[in-house]
Amino acid sequence: MNIFRFAGDMTHLLSIIVLLLKINATKSCAGVSLKTQELYLLVFVTRYLDLFYSFISLYNTCMKLIFIGSSGCIIWYIRKHKVVSQTYDAEQDTFRVLFLLGPSLLLAMFINHEFSFTEVLWTFSIYLEAVAILPQLVLLQRTKNVDTLTGNYVFLLGGYRALYLLNW
């Protein structure tokens, strides 16, 4: 395994831990975009379909399951937790995700390695992940209230993407 990929995975994992700690410790999801979290869940579910038919390594399988599970957990906190869900500001989190989903899907349909169901979904996940942070950035720009932990979460996500660029 490439050191940049491992460092990217650990940075991504750290970003998720920071976000979950923020939500759990403050009992608030203020400043967190539900739309970004839902996009990330869609990214991971479409990218990791190979969990059902291919085993690469225990590390790989565990990381995939952690990313899917933690995304679902964050979404549950924002949508269903009786205290945390009260702090979600849907009026500020209004980014139109169809403007991200549509182009990502179109690009995946036409620019992919192989035109198969799993390959198109994997490619879709790559394109979507590149822009999935936009609702979060727009929310932070609108509210102009960036707490330290949310800022660290966004910074670590950027670091994860930078390390993955070096991996490629």
Side-chain angles (χ1 to χ4, degrees), residues 45-61:
V45 168
T46 55
R47 182 173 304 163
Y48 300 145
L49 287 174
D50 66 339
L51 281 169
F52 294 109
Y53 60 85
S54 175
F55 179 80
I56 297 169
S57 70
L58 184 60
Y59 169 83
N60 187 278
T61 301

Side-chain angles (χ1 to χ4, degrees), residues 1-155:
M1 175 185 298
N2 184 319
I3 188 68
F4 295 114
R5 178 174 179 186
F6 180 74
D9 285 346
M10 293 302 111
T11 304
H12 190 191
L13 188 57
L14 184 59
S15 75
I16 292 167
I17 291 169
V18 164
L19 184 58
L20 282 169
L21 286 174
K22 173 239 191 304
I23 292 171
N24 194 43
T26 64
K27 297 294 184 242
S28 171
C29 63
V32 178
S33 170
L34 174 62
K35 293 184 180 210
T36 286
Q37 299 309 315
E38 290 171 338
L39 289 173
Y40 275 122
L41 181 59
L42 182 60
V43 163
F44 299 138
V45 168
T46 55
R47 182 173 304 163
Y48 300 145
L49 287 174
D50 66 339
L51 281 169
F52 294 109
Y53 60 85
S54 175
F55 179 80
I56 297 169
S57 70
L58 184 60
Y59 169 83
N60 187 278
T61 301
C62 287
M63 293 305 288
K64 289 175 180 182
L65 292 172
I66 288 169
F67 291 146
I68 292 170
S70 60
S71 293
C73 182
I74 293 166
I75 292 167
W76 177 85
Y77 263 115
I78 297 171
R79 285 189 175 274
K80 302 292 184 186
H81 190 276
K82 60 183 170 185
V83 176
V84 175
S85 63
Q86 302 300 313
T87 63
Y88 173 62
D89 189 358
E91 291 181 14
Q92 293 290 332
D93 193 14
T94 59
F95 193 96
R96 293 185 181 147
V97 295
L98 287 177
F99 290 132
L100 304 178
L101 294 170
S104 296
L105 185 58
L106 281 173
L107 279 170
M109 296 290 286
F110 293 106
I111 304 173
N112 55 59
H113 181 262
E114 170 188 316
F115 195 77
S116 67
F117 181 73
T118 55
E119 180 65 26
V120 169
L121 286 180
W122 184 86
T123 306
F124 166 75
S125 78
I126 296 296
Y127 294 139
L128 184 59
E129 187 177 20
V131 294
I133 193 69
L134 288 177
Q136 179 66 55
L137 296 176
V138 169
L139 177 66
L140 293 177
Q141 188 270 331
R142 279 187 184 155
T143 60
K144 297 188 182 8
N145 182 16
V146 183
D147 65 62
T148 304
L149 291 174
T150 306
N152 288 342
Y153 164 70
V154 172
F155 176 78

